[in-house]
Amino acid sequence: MGIFDFLRARNNRSATVARERLRIIVAQERSQRGAPDYLPLLRRELLEVIRKYVNVDQDAVDIHVERDGAHEVLELSVALPEKAATSVHVA
Amino acid sequence: MTEFIVVTSGKGGVGKTTTSASIAVGLARRGKKVAVIDFDIGLRNLDLIMGCERRVVYDFVNVIHAECTLRQALIKDKRIDTLHVLAASQTRDKDALTKEGVEKVLHELRDDGFDYVICDSPAGIERGAFLAMYFADRAVVVVNPEVSSVRDSDRILGLLASKTRRAELGAAPVETHLLLTRYNPLRVADGEMLSIDDVKDILGLDVLGVIPESDGVLSASNSGVPVILDDEASAGQAYEDAVARLLGEQRPMRFLDAPKKGFFARMFGG
């Protein structure tokens, strides 16, 4: 790297950006791996139903399938808006 | 004992066929009896990389449909006695491959006393890619230090863990290795390319080998000589190391460092 490249170099760490983006997306995709195919649709429909009653965010509904020994647990959590100050948690 | 090794990646153009050819040659020149099979039905290319494109008479699908014997379809390499190529079909539709058909061919190779069968997977996650990995004992996942390739590799790792026969039988999982290709140490040093440690870290797997970006790869494919046979090329030497590691040898990684720049180059960014 030459003396004239010195300033440019600081903003030129695209590999660092790539690494961070990949860490996040790979972790997210791994967490969904092996989960039933209907989960995204279930999540969307639940969101529609909830929105009939409460004005929640697009990402307010979180669904996970956890394996616990022989049985699977569908974990569903809904974050209600600030004013309601509560969060419904069904497991 | 025959070992089935799939060379796969998800993404296209990362170097699967180059890798399959070099691994097959590397194993065969150690005296192992090796068959390398092109699973890319409709897009045959392994024959070109191996330099036997004009000797293809029968192909993989012909064998599956019993239109010829396996022996008739296997092309014996002119350089190494123990190396054989089974070409992909060029004309048939992709559904020509069936699980039973592939199993029949692989079992016949096993009964013929082959030590290794290298399955060169097509890109993607369709039927050909699925069948190339289904019977695998080991997998070499070829990855470029680049975002889409790394993400696709992780997807493939997930499939290897769930959609193979070993996974279905609940047997020991497919032994998976990462092979990093098109690595450019200069760009890594400049922070423009993911490093070997980045890729290891993101995918959580050890790296079998790092193949540097090298002119040798293109000239090898131009002439139909697998790059591992080019002792001068850094890529050829790196493949030779990778094959040794595949067989359990310990070898230090080479070609990871950027060539040192001289004083003037450093001062003026040459």
Side-chain angles (χ1 to χ4, degrees):
Chain A
M1 193 187 306
I3 48 176
F4 307 116
D5 298 327
F6 177 69
L7 291 170
R8 197 189 55 142
R10 264 173 198 278
N11 300 318
N12 199 11
R13 297 277 154 77
S14 62
T16 314
V17 180
R19 187 176 60 221
E20 292 317 311
R21 291 174 62 215
L22 278 169
R23 275 214 183 109
I24 292 164
I25 194 68
V26 165
Q28 190 198 326
E29 288 176 348
R30 281 185 181 183
S31 73
Q32 291 163 358
R33 197 176 281 169
D37 292 341
Y38 59 74
L39 276 194
L41 186 62
L42 175 62
R43 183 183 168 281
R44 199 157 62 235
E45 290 190 4
L46 277 170
L47 191 66
E48 276 168 28
V49 174
I50 292 165
R51 283 183 137 189
K52 282 188 187 168
Y53 303 93
V54 194
N55 188 23
V56 294
D57 286 341
Q58 279 289 344
D59 53 358
V61 178
D62 201 20
I63 298 183
H64 281 290
V65 176
E66 303 264 327
R67 274 194 193 83
D68 185 11
H71 46 265
E72 291 184 335
V73 178
L74 180 71
E75 198 179 86
L76 172 66
S77 96
V78 183
L80 295 176
E82 277 292 305
K83 226 189 285 173
T86 39
S87 157
V88 181
H89 192 84
V90 190
Chain B
M1 238 322 255
T2 310
E3 201 162 63
F4 299 117
I5 304 178
V6 60
V7 177
T8 182
S9 72
K11 194 174 180 299
V14 296
K16 283 181 296 296
T17 301
T18 298
T19 298
S20 299
S22 279
I23 289 181
V25 168
L27 291 168
R29 70 174 177 186
R30 285 173 163 77
K32 312 284 186 192
K33 192 172 174 190
V34 179
V36 55
I37 307 179
D38 191 347
F39 274 74
D40 204 346
I41 304 304
L43 293 170
R44 175 198 293 168
N45 269 321
L46 177 68
D47 56 336
L48 270 182
I49 302 300
M50 293 295 298
C52 62
E53 70 276 8
R54 299 188 59 187
R55 295 167 57 216
V56 179
V57 180
Y58 295 110
D59 59 55
F60 195 11
V61 173
N62 290 140
V63 183
I64 288 176
H65 288 175
E67 292 156 354
C68 66
T69 63
L70 177 61
R71 196 169 296 246
Q72 285 174 306
L74 282 177
I75 305 163
K76 204 168 163 192
D77 188 86
K78 292 215 160 156
R79 297 156 294 222
I80 305 162
D81 275 354
T82 54
L83 179 57
H84 302 76
V85 180
L86 185 53
S89 166
Q90 199 51 312
T91 53
R92 313 265 184 141
D93 65 316
K94 288 186 177 177
D95 296 333
L97 285 190
T98 59
K99 201 189 269 184
E100 296 71 29
V102 172
E103 186 172 29
K104 187 188 84 172
V105 173
L106 295 183
H107 281 179
E108 206 175 326
L109 289 167
R110 185 190 61 195
D111 296 342
D112 272 358
F114 277 84
D115 297 306
Y116 292 95
V117 177
I118 312 296
C119 301
D120 181 23
S121 172
I125 50 175
E126 302 292 317
R127 190 186 197 83
F130 164 70
L131 288 174
M133 73 165 69
Y134 185 74
F135 296 99
D137 299 306
R138 294 169 97 173
V140 174
V141 178
V142 182
V143 53
N144 287 173
E146 173 270 324
V147 286
S148 46
S149 176
V150 174
R151 183 200 207 169
D152 288 358
S153 301
D154 193 59
R155 187 104 169 76
I156 289 292
L157 293 175
L159 296 176
L160 284 166
S162 62
K163 303 284 183 207
T164 52
R165 193 175 54 169
R166 282 178 172 270
E168 284 179 6
L169 294 177
V174 178
E175 195 182 330
T176 46
H177 311 273
L178 290 179
L179 186 81
L180 211 51
T181 55
R182 302 219 163 140
Y183 197 75
N184 186 329
L186 215 63
R187 304 198 72 183
V188 172
D190 283 348
E192 291 173 3
M193 184 180 264
L194 292 166
S195 70
I196 173 174
D197 290 331
D198 291 338
V199 176
K200 265 196 230 175
D201 193 40
I202 293 160
L203 295 176
L205 260 185
D206 244 344
V207 172
L208 177 73
V210 176
I211 314 301
E213 200 165 46
S214 149
D215 297 339
V217 176
L218 183 61
S219 47
S221 70
N222 283 344
S223 45
V225 179
V227 70
I228 194 170
L229 289 170
D230 183 353
D231 297 332
E232 304 287 305
S234 53
Q237 297 171 38
Y239 271 120
E240 174 54 32
D241 286 354
V243 170
R245 290 189 202 106
L246 202 60
L247 292 171
E249 235 179 85
Q250 298 280 333
R251 286 199 186 180
M253 291 283 177
R254 293 192 276 170
F255 316 111
L256 294 185
D257 297 321
K260 294 269 184 290
K261 285 185 182 178
F263 174 74
F264 284 104
R266 261 188 287 135
M267 286 302 285
F268 300 106

